[in-house]
Amino acid sequence: MDSYNDEDAEGAASSGSAPPEHASGPVRRTAQPSQPSDGPQRSSGGARDPLSDRAPLPAPEDEPLPTSQPETSRTETRAAEPATAAVPGPRSGTPREDPFLPDRAQDQDQNRDPDPDAVPLDPDAPTRGIAALSLPYQVAVAVSLALIAVLAGVHVAMVFLHVAPSNTASKEYGKAIDAWVYPEFEQNWKLFAPNPLQQNVAVQVKAEVTTPDGDRRSTGWIDLSAEDGEAIRGNLLPSHTQQNALRRAWDFYVNSHDDKNRSSGLRGQLSESYVRRLVMARLERLDVGGEVERIRLRSSTSAVKAPDWSNEKIDLRPQFRVLPWWTVTAADLPGGVDNGRTEADR
């Protein structure tokens, strides 16, 4: 502690006024040795020093003692210090180092899996999807998607006009609609009828064949419907023609003939020709052993067995409808069918 000189202090005390500070230059001060005392220290003038009661602040154990620095404000000092840890955003994928979070929260945040849908921060990172393709491929993909959408729209419109009641559009474009729908996209509503079909109808054929030796013999009844069922059984994508060509041909014949097999007009003659050509194409694949001279068709109709929980009594015996013999002519041979004939026979 610095104090005034004893002589100056005594003179000031006797005169009752404070010594002038800048009358004849700086005031001469002498350093007084500090002496230990149990009580609070007081200045020589009798006033209590407010800083003498403060205890010295303990220095941190893990940090070195601060060295002498120029006097700066607290704000300037904190602004000059670099940030020790930055808190990244939720999509950065790096561990958070926030000193204000508890340890448990930091551990959970560090163990969190990165967001798989996070947008890459690197602007040069590769993109995905159509945007990753080159411009020619992008144009090709866009054109393909547009064509698929147009095709789907046309298909939905055609099927709608086919199943809708008769209207101006279906009458005007009936042929185009039928050509689009048949045979692959046919809509059969018998399943939703009040009395759905509860019968199994099998179409069978018998043929008279002339063997290469000149003998004539008759084959047994060949179940063509059973062959169709065996061909599509186990097939995940069977053809619509394989399932319905023979059935539709037989329905066409039955609906255009009476119970005595008499034709009802032009449709009846057309149905006979269609059935003959279809059956001859099937017999060509079976190789019956010679030239087919005549064919005969019949249908075997049997009721579907009732379920076990039903008490309904149903006659399961088949009923047959037998057609007369038809003599095979050249008009009954579709393309690619030679009926066992050689070039000389033709």
Side-chain angles (χ1 to χ4, degrees):
M1 298 286 296
D2 296 337
S3 61
Y4 295 106
N5 192 5
D6 295 340
E7 298 177 356
D8 297 335
E10 291 177 359
S14 60
S15 61
S17 61
E21 295 181 357
H22 300 287
S24 60
V27 178
R28 183 170 53 88
R29 300 180 181 180
T30 58
Q32 298 291 337
S34 59
Q35 296 179 0
S37 62
D38 297 336
Q41 298 180 359
R42 296 180 179 272
S43 61
S44 58
R48 182 178 179 180
D49 188 4
L51 300 179
S52 61
D53 295 339
R54 294 189 179 182
L57 296 176
E61 298 178 359
D62 299 335
E63 297 180 1
L65 294 176
T67 58
S68 58
Q69 296 180 354
E71 296 183 0
T72 56
S73 64
R74 183 180 298 270
T75 304
E76 295 176 354
T77 304
R78 295 180 63 87
E81 296 176 357
T84 57
V87 180
R91 292 181 177 271
S92 62
T94 57
R96 295 172 59 101
E97 297 182 1
D98 192 349
F100 301 99
L101 290 178
D103 297 339
R104 183 177 180 182
Q106 291 187 9
D107 295 339
Q108 293 178 356
D109 198 49
Q110 292 178 0
N111 296 330
R112 185 179 60 184
D113 295 332
D115 188 3
D117 298 331
V119 179
L121 299 179
D122 187 5
D124 298 332
T127 56
R128 298 179 181 178
I130 300 178
L133 302 176
S134 60
L135 181 59
Y137 285 101
Q138 291 182 7
V139 174
V141 171
V143 173
S144 301
L145 293 178
L147 292 178
I148 293 174
V150 172
L151 183 62
V154 171
H155 177 71
V156 172
M158 289 293 187
V159 174
F160 172 77
L161 292 175
H162 174 69
V163 301
S166 180
N167 53 72
T168 304
S170 61
K171 293 178 181 179
E172 181 71 20
Y173 305 102
K175 294 182 179 180
I177 294 173
D178 292 341
W180 181 277
V181 172
Y182 292 108
E184 294 295 337
F185 307 112
E186 177 189 1
Q187 303 296 313
N188 189 345
W189 302 107
K190 291 182 178 180
L191 178 63
F192 306 99
N195 296 318
L197 185 63
Q198 299 179 359
Q199 295 175 337
N200 290 324
V201 180
V203 179
Q204 302 170 353
V205 62
K206 179 185 287 189
E208 284 188 358
V209 182
T210 300
T211 63
D213 299 335
D215 298 334
R216 178 171 289 190
R217 64 182 183 84
S218 178
T219 64
W221 289 105
I222 303 173
D223 196 341
L224 301 179
S225 297
E227 292 181 355
D228 288 346
E230 187 65 25
I232 66 176
R233 186 174 292 110
N235 187 358
L236 297 178
L237 298 173
S239 172
H240 207 309
T241 56
Q242 292 177 350
Q243 301 177 67
N244 297 315
L246 181 62
R247 180 184 64 82
R248 291 299 305 272
W250 182 255
D251 290 343
F252 186 23
Y253 177 86
V254 171
N255 294 331
S256 58
H257 289 75
D258 56 15
D259 295 339
K260 296 182 180 180
N261 298 319
R262 291 177 299 190
S263 176
S264 60
L266 183 60
R267 287 179 59 84
Q269 298 176 6
L270 181 61
S271 66
E272 289 182 8
S273 177
Y274 181 61
V275 169
R276 290 181 186 183
R277 293 170 65 87
L278 181 61
V279 170
M280 289 303 299
R282 299 289 296 273
L283 292 177
E284 182 74 10
R285 297 199 300 263
L286 295 178
D287 190 11
V288 293
E291 180 182 348
V292 178
E293 300 293 340
R294 296 194 303 170
I295 59 175
R296 192 175 192 180
L297 296 178
R298 77 173 185 181
S299 64
S300 174
T301 304
S302 59
V304 178
K305 181 182 177 180
D308 297 336
W309 48 265
S310 176
N311 297 326
E312 184 180 2
K313 302 298 181 180
I314 300 177
D315 187 5
L316 301 179
R317 292 177 297 179
Q319 297 179 1
F320 299 97
R321 178 176 180 175
V322 184
L323 305 186
W325 286 97
W326 287 332
T327 301
V328 177
T329 62
D332 298 328
L333 302 180
V337 177
D338 55 9
N339 193 19
R341 299 179 182 181
T342 61
E343 294 291 337
D345 298 333
R346 298 178 185 178

